[in-house]
Amino acid sequence: MRLADDDRARVPFALLGVLLLVGSSTFAASLATPGPEPIDRAADVAADRVEGEVTAAVRTAVRDAARAAARDPVTVAADTPAGRALGTEDPFRRSLRLRIFAAARDAVGPIEHRRGESVAHASFGAGVEDVEGALSRVSVAGRDDGTELRATVRGIAVTVKRNGRVLDSYRTNRTVTVAVPVLALHDRTEAFQTRLDADPIAAPGLARRLTVGVTAMAQARGLGQYGGLPISNVVGNRHVALSTNAGLLDAQRASFGHADPEAAAGVRAATLQTGVTDVLGPRTDPRVLAAVTGQLPDPNDAERVDAASRPGALPATRTITVGVNDTADEAFVALLRGTDGPNLDSIRRESYRASVSVGADARLVRNGRRPSPRAPGENWTLAYSDVDTSVSVRGGGRSTAVVSAGHRARRLYAATRRVVERHTVRRTWVKINASPRTTSASWRDAHRVRVTATGRLGDARGPDRAVDPLFRTGGAIGGPNLRGGSSVARDLVAELGGPDAIARRAVTGGRTNARTRFTGDRPDDLSAWVYADVAALRERVRRLSVEVSASDAATGQRNGAARLADRVRSRRAALLDAPRRYDGAADRARVAARAAYLDLVLARLDERAGQTGKQNAGIGRALAAKGISATRANDLADLTPEAPSRRFALGSDSGARGRTAFVPDGDPAYLAPAPVEGSLVDGIADDERYVGLAVRNLNVFAVPYGDAADLVTRTLFGDPGRVSLHTAGQSLVAADRTLAAHPNATLRARTDHLRSRVAQSMDHIRERATRTLARESSLSRPESETVVRRAFARWDSPGERAVAATDGSLAAAVASAAIEEGAARESDGSRTVTEDRIRTALRVDLRDTATSADVRVSQAAVEDAVSTTRGLLREEARARAGAATERAIARASNGTVGGIPAGLPILPTLNPWVATANVWVVESRGAYGRFAVTTDSGATTYVRDGSSVAFDVDGDGEPEVLGRNERIGFRVRTVAVVAVPAGKLGVGDTDGNVDERSVAWAGPEPGPRCVTPTGRCPRE
């Protein structure tokens, strides 16, 4: 089909015409209508400009508020409406939010922008009526270790108007981050305060650092004093102040990463002024300096001391040895004398005591059997019968060989007999009307009878073991060895009629048994042999000891004597060293003596443990009287130096600030116990004087008598008004030496009085020494008196003799003089035994008397002489020393001033004297007049100076008091425990100032203060 002919899909022409008509009409209408007016965007531009300015203003407000909060932080809310609304939980952050709110409010209020007829402005909307409302509008958070502050301010109102008509109104929030480390500064300062407040046992901080430092100084100086250095003030307030400031530096470094450079310089200067190295000289261990000063000079040097690489123990008496020592002698003499049981001679006799018993054993070997009755005929009746018996004994041999009959028994005699019984029975028969008739019959029984005599050893103190040989010559040292038992056995058999008679009675009836006891002859050298063996055991036991922490002993927390008794008890079998088989009776006697000796040692160690328990209870009472728990004191004494804090910075390299260093700045930099001019201390008025540190140290056991020592010793001696002879003797020696160099009427009178009292006590010692010599040697009473007089003459004064009596040298001198006089004549066959017995008995008897209550001296007499001696000692120091060191004083005085005893002996009875301990209660209270922490750039400074803080919170133009910031301060109470070996003058403050207080330690509330009548510091 052609296209022209195809009419499919064709549109009618009329329809096209209509479409053209309508389209042309519409186009014409559009050309005739005018266009819309131009759009006015001025309002949008104004709103955008306001929002940008709001962001900048909020950022500036947050920065300024943060720095203002650092300059005047609120750490304690005031008792005002605003302060109460601030609350007690983290008032610093809440006050920071208030500052940001107020700063943002003031910064946003003026923001306005006009554009043509349009204007946009920002505000905080309706006024805030209270603090809670303001706080709800702001939140803060730290970023990058608190070196950045992120703050969000909510509810900023933006209003857009044109020609007075509000086009738009809305609220917006702004979150900004500023590089002001206000939160880190505050938190680090609070961490610093936390370290100052930390309990020394619970956490590291100032108190722990102070405890370790003072203890290190006390231990080093205490050992120096014990060694002879002229140290009369072991722990002084200068040491407490030095250790306090060194602890503050360490706390600064741990909290801020750096320490105050001026404070470090102050500690260095104080270290030199205190004169640590001059006092101890070459003996000074660097660990002491590290513990006391923190290993200065450079406190900001992170590489001061690597404490982890070296032992934590300071050079001091860390442990004390509690040994058997003189208790071995006491038990030995008790064994010799039988004080608490049988003596050595009775034990030897007991070991040779035995019994002999005789007995017989019969056994039927032939039973002949009795014939039955047989009637002589019918109707005979047995009327009665009668038996005759004849006995014969055959055999005559016997044996006296010693044969084992058990591990402690031997058969000493044996005999065997054959006993034959011949029996004849006669029976009488009767019958009616007939004469009686008699019949007879016989039979024979045979018995074998063994007669024996057995010797048996009696019980002994040693283990029950077999003994061989026994009842015959031989054994460890030869000798009879109870061989007389055979003779005793034969005699006992003979007393019973001999073996035949015993055998006969064993069959026919009668006494066949007998028993007797006897003590065998002992070898001539048995006594010396057993004595020497037990004496050797005595020396072995003497060396046994246990180690006890010095602090445990000094604070009464451990009973060393009880531990020692347990150790000896656990080793008793090894010490006894009993053989599996005794080599004769002598060997058994030897072990029995050892067993008895060890039992006496243990009994005395248990007694010592009881005394130590009483002493420990007394130490607890003495410390409690000073407000210190014995358990806590012990825990404090066990603290050891920690690794020094290292330098560090906060933040990260990727943060807005990068790494930030904080530098603390305290005023005064070094807290001294002496007043400082206010002009040198920020935060204190220039015309005031400020004391930043109040310190006190109390020596608990300055002398071995007095209130504290009496609390320990009264349970042991009863009378608290008397002093041990040892202490009285030392005090008299000190007074004599001082008097010789410095004549003084008062000291002479008091020394003479003390001398007479000591001499009276020494009369007891003289009498006891004389009686011991007369008892233990061959000397007569007059000869003994002469010997004792000669020995006493080796010392020039009663004081020296008193000291010699308590340290054992007098006993040794008396023994030597007695032996020279011939007291050790061989009365028992051994000169060596006699000499040892004399020496040992004198050691025990003189020590017992010298430490008894009978010879204790009046405390008043001792105290009078000591106090006067102390006064002259102080005058000597002032006259010769000036600003010299203690070592220089020693060179200048040349030992002309006598030493004074100090400390608490352990045990206080000095029997035995294990060690001497002392305790110092140390208190330190301080505060900075102003304490600031500044960033390394100096842009932000956080200040704590005790000032009040107020600003306008509600916008009414009147500032509201929010609170104040607290000064950085601290209060520390701790103890230092020192122990030195036994002997010499002990350890303690001997200058008479046992309760040393600084100038600010006064009034009902000692502490840092201004030098004003009230102690308060007017604001600068």
Side-chain angles (χ1 to χ4, degrees):
M1 178 181 295
R2 293 185 302 116
L3 180 61
D5 297 332
D6 188 1
D7 57 2
R8 291 176 297 180
R10 291 190 177 185
V11 178
F13 181 77
L15 179 59
L16 291 175
V18 172
L19 290 174
L20 290 173
L21 180 60
V22 171
S24 61
S25 298
T26 301
F27 179 70
S30 64
L31 292 176
T33 303
E37 296 180 0
I39 298 175
D40 185 358
R41 298 187 177 277
D44 293 338
V45 172
D48 289 343
R49 292 288 181 86
V50 165
E51 291 217 17
E53 291 181 22
V54 164
T55 300
V58 168
R59 178 175 286 105
T60 300
V62 169
R63 182 183 298 109
D64 293 343
R67 289 175 176 164
R71 287 192 301 272
D72 290 303
V74 176
T75 60
V76 177
D79 188 16
T80 62
R84 287 190 292 272
L86 200 60
T88 59
E89 184 176 352
D90 201 358
F92 174 76
R93 278 175 165 76
R94 291 171 70 88
S95 66
L96 172 62
R97 290 160 60 190
L98 281 179
R99 283 187 179 276
I100 292 175
F101 171 81
R105 179 194 61 202
D106 296 342
V108 169
I111 296 177
E112 182 179 283
H113 188 77
R114 292 180 176 276
R115 184 69 176 247
E117 299 297 325
S118 299
V119 58
H121 69 269
S123 71
F124 266 54
V128 176
E129 298 295 335
D130 54 26
V131 171
E132 286 297 335
L135 291 173
S136 66
R137 303 281 291 272
V138 180
S139 61
V140 296
R143 292 289 187 271
D144 199 14
D145 288 338
T147 59
E148 300 172 7
L149 175 64
R150 185 178 182 85
T152 298
V153 180
R154 301 180 183 86
I156 299 174
V158 178
T159 303
V160 183
K161 296 180 180 180
R162 181 188 300 133
N163 296 325
R165 181 172 59 89
V166 177
L167 297 179
D168 194 7
S169 179
Y170 59 91
R171 290 185 178 272
T172 184
N173 302 333
R174 284 295 181 270
T175 298
V176 297
T177 300
V178 296
V180 179
V182 61
L183 295 181
L185 288 168
H186 173 74
D187 291 344
R188 292 286 94 195
T189 305
E190 287 297 298
F192 178 54
Q193 183 65 66
T194 299
R195 278 186 166 265
L196 302 191
D197 297 335
D199 182 272
I201 298 173
L206 172 62
R208 179 179 293 183
R209 189 67 185 69
L210 174 61
T211 301
V212 171
V214 174
T215 299
M217 178 67 75
Q219 289 174 341
R221 288 174 61 83
L223 286 175
Q225 183 189 58
Y226 176 82
L229 291 178
I231 298 174
S232 60
N233 183 218
V234 175
V235 176
N237 280 345
R238 63 190 184 279
H239 307 129
V240 180
L242 175 59
S243 291
T244 298
N245 281 275
L248 290 170
L249 285 182
D250 201 66
Q252 289 177 11
R253 188 176 299 104
S255 303
F256 303 110
H258 295 75
D260 182 352
E262 292 184 5
V267 171
R268 284 195 295 271
T271 302
L272 296 176
Q273 184 177 0
T274 302
V276 176
T277 54
D278 190 46
V279 171
L280 301 178
R283 302 183 214 182
T284 303
D285 191 294
R287 287 172 291 177
V288 176
L289 292 175
V292 176
T293 66
Q295 192 62 30
L296 298 172
D298 186 0
N300 288 325
D301 183 2
E303 306 299 329
R304 295 181 304 153
V305 174
D306 185 3
S309 66
R310 64 192 312 174
L314 295 167
T317 307
R318 305 298 296 179
T319 61
I320 60 175
T321 300
V322 181
V324 176
N325 299 330
D326 296 333
T327 303
D329 289 338
E330 296 173 12
F332 190 77
V333 171
L335 178 65
L336 295 178
R337 297 173 177 173
T339 305
D340 300 321
N343 61 24
L344 188 57
D345 286 337
S346 66
I347 291 173
R348 288 193 293 256
R349 287 195 303 271
E350 181 184 81
S351 299
Y352 275 79
R353 187 171 292 125
S355 64
V356 175
S357 58
V358 174
D361 178 50
R363 184 165 60 88
L364 183 64
V365 296
R366 179 179 178 180
N367 187 352
R369 296 184 182 179
R370 180 174 179 168
S372 300
R374 295 182 64 183
E378 293 183 357
N379 299 322
W380 289 91
T381 301
L382 180 63
Y384 61 89
S385 63
D386 182 26
V387 178
D388 293 328
T389 299
S390 64
V391 178
S392 63
V393 179
R394 296 179 181 178
R398 67 178 183 178
S399 172
T400 58
V402 178
V403 180
S404 176
H407 66 281
R408 283 193 294 140
R410 296 293 186 273
R411 192 183 69 204
L412 306 177
Y413 179 94
T416 303
R417 296 293 185 265
R418 182 179 179 84
V419 179
V420 178
E421 295 179 293
R422 291 180 174 82
H423 308 284
T424 300
V425 59
R426 292 179 178 84
R427 300 182 177 96
T428 301
W429 305 83
V430 296
K431 185 178 179 180
I432 299 175
N433 300 326
S435 298
R437 291 186 181 180
T438 300
T439 62
S440 63
S442 62
W443 74 96
R444 185 174 63 180
D445 293 332
H447 301 267
R448 185 175 182 274
V449 180
R450 186 171 180 82
V451 178
T452 59
T454 303
R456 184 178 302 276
L457 277 175
D459 294 332
R461 295 177 176 273
D464 191 11
R465 307 282 171 84
V467 182
D468 188 40
L470 184 60
F471 294 105
R472 57 187 175 87
T473 302
I477 58 173
N481 197 37
L482 292 170
R483 69 184 178 191
S486 296
S487 175
V488 173
R490 291 193 300 271
D491 292 345
L492 193 57
V493 170
E495 288 178 8
L496 290 173
D500 289 354
I502 296 171
R504 182 186 295 274
R505 287 193 293 271
V507 173
T508 61
R511 182 185 177 197
T512 61
N513 298 319
R515 186 173 183 270
T516 187
R517 294 178 181 274
F518 78 100
T519 300
D521 296 333
R522 297 179 295 281
D524 293 338
D525 54 353
L526 176 66
S527 295
W529 184 66
V530 172
Y531 184 101
D533 183 79
V534 180
L537 176 62
R538 176 192 70 201
E539 298 308 310
R540 181 181 175 188
V541 170
R542 184 196 306 279
R543 293 190 294 269
L544 293 178
S545 64
V546 295
E547 294 293 320
V548 179
S549 166
S551 59
D552 287 346
T555 57
Q557 296 300 293
R558 290 292 183 274
N559 192 321
R563 286 187 55 195
L564 180 62
D566 290 342
R567 184 182 184 196
V568 174
R569 191 169 279 111
S570 67
R571 297 190 59 186
R572 185 181 186 279
L575 293 168
L576 185 61
D577 195 22
R580 299 185 65 181
R581 177 181 60 81
Y582 294 122
D583 188 11
D587 198 23
R588 186 166 177 263
R590 177 186 65 84
V591 175
R594 292 170 73 93
Y597 172 71
L598 290 175
D599 290 342
L600 289 170
V601 170
L602 288 170
R604 275 157 175 74
L605 289 178
D606 290 338
E607 183 180 350
R608 274 177 59 181
Q611 288 182 330
T612 303
K614 292 178 181 179
Q615 180 203 38
N616 289 347
I619 292 175
R621 290 192 298 271
L623 293 177
K626 306 301 181 184
I628 294 291
S629 160
T631 302
R632 181 174 178 81
N634 185 54
D635 292 340
L636 290 170
D638 287 340
L639 294 175
T640 56
E642 297 177 330
S645 301
R646 297 180 179 276
R647 184 170 54 187
F648 63 88
L650 297 175
S652 62
D653 294 332
S654 59
R657 287 188 58 89
R659 298 187 64 79
T660 303
F662 292 164
V663 181
D665 177 19
D667 274 313
Y670 183 91
L671 295 180
V676 178
E677 295 299 329
S679 59
L680 302 176
V681 182
D682 289 341
I684 303 297
D686 291 346
D687 57 350
E688 298 294 336
R689 300 175 71 205
Y690 181 67
V691 184
L693 186 65
V695 291
R696 176 195 186 192
N697 80 87
L698 172 65
N699 190 193
V700 178
F701 303 112
V703 289
Y705 50 85
D707 294 340
D710 286 345
L711 288 172
V712 180
T713 60
R714 69 175 47 160
T715 56
L716 301 174
F717 296 109
D719 182 7
R722 302 182 73 81
V723 177
S724 72
L725 180 60
H726 180 83
T727 298
Q730 287 180 321
S731 302
L732 181 56
V733 170
D736 282 337
R737 291 178 180 173
T738 304
L739 187 61
H742 308 281
N744 179 277
T746 302
L747 179 59
R748 182 176 301 281
R750 293 180 173 182
T751 301
D752 289 345
H753 179 59
L754 177 58
R755 183 180 295 107
S756 66
R757 294 300 185 94
V758 172
Q760 291 174 7
S761 295
M762 288 304 297
D763 289 341
H764 292 273
I765 306 294
R766 186 187 302 273
E767 173 60 23
R768 185 65 180 271
T770 302
R771 285 192 285 111
T772 299
L773 275 183
R775 175 178 184 174
E776 302 294 344
S777 72
S778 58
L779 296 178
S780 64
R781 171 82 186 195
E783 290 173 330
S784 298
E785 291 175 349
T786 301
V787 166
V788 172
R789 187 164 51 251
R790 186 190 311 151
F792 271 48
R794 296 186 183 184
W795 287 271
D796 296 330
S797 68
E800 293 176 345
R801 294 187 197 106
V803 175
T806 56
D807 66 15
S809 55
L810 179 61
V814 174
S816 298
I819 292 170
E820 291 173 2
E821 188 67 19
R825 289 189 285 268
E826 299 182 13
S827 56
D828 62 354
S830 173
R831 180 181 177 88
T832 303
V833 167
T834 306
E835 288 185 3
D836 182 81
R837 181 163 184 155
I838 292 172
R839 294 183 188 278
T840 305
L842 283 169
R843 284 199 303 268
V844 171
D845 288 350
L846 267 61
R847 183 171 56 249
D848 179 65
T849 302
T851 58
S852 67
D854 294 338
V855 300
R856 290 174 72 82
V857 180
S858 165
Q859 177 177 323
V862 174
E863 178 58 32
D864 286 345
V866 167
S867 62
T868 308
T869 302
R870 281 175 174 157
L872 291 176
L873 187 151
R874 287 193 292 270
E875 291 178 9
E876 175 78 3
R878 285 194 296 266
R880 295 185 179 273
T885 64
E886 288 166 330
R887 183 175 296 279
I889 295 173
R891 292 193 295 267
S893 61
N894 196 27
T896 58
V897 178
I900 297 173
L904 178 69
I906 300 176
L907 284 167
T909 60
L910 301 180
N911 191 11
W913 188 357
V914 176
T916 303
N918 218 324
V919 178
W920 281 262
V921 180
V922 174
E923 296 184 74
S924 180
R925 300 179 183 180
Y928 291 99
R930 178 181 184 270
F931 187 84
V933 186
T934 306
T935 58
D936 48 2
S937 65
T940 306
T941 300
Y942 179 91
V943 179
R944 296 278 284 272
D945 59 2
S947 59
S948 62
V949 180
F951 58 87
D952 184 11
V953 176
D954 53 12
D956 61 356
E958 294 294 330
E960 285 80 26
V961 177
L962 294 181
R964 62 182 176 85
N965 64 69
E966 300 167 290
R967 280 193 170 103
I968 298 297
F970 53 86
R971 290 190 172 197
V972 176
R973 191 169 196 263
T974 187
V975 300
V977 178
V978 177
V980 297
K984 299 186 179 181
L985 296 173
V987 61
D989 291 341
T990 58
D991 60 355
N993 190 8
V994 300
D995 188 357
E996 187 178 356
R997 306 182 182 202
S998 68
V999 64
W1001 199 277
E1005 282 296 324
R1009 62 187 61 203
C1010 284
V1011 184
T1012 61
T1014 64
R1016 297 182 179 276
C1017 298
R1019 288 291 300 145
E1020 187 174 23

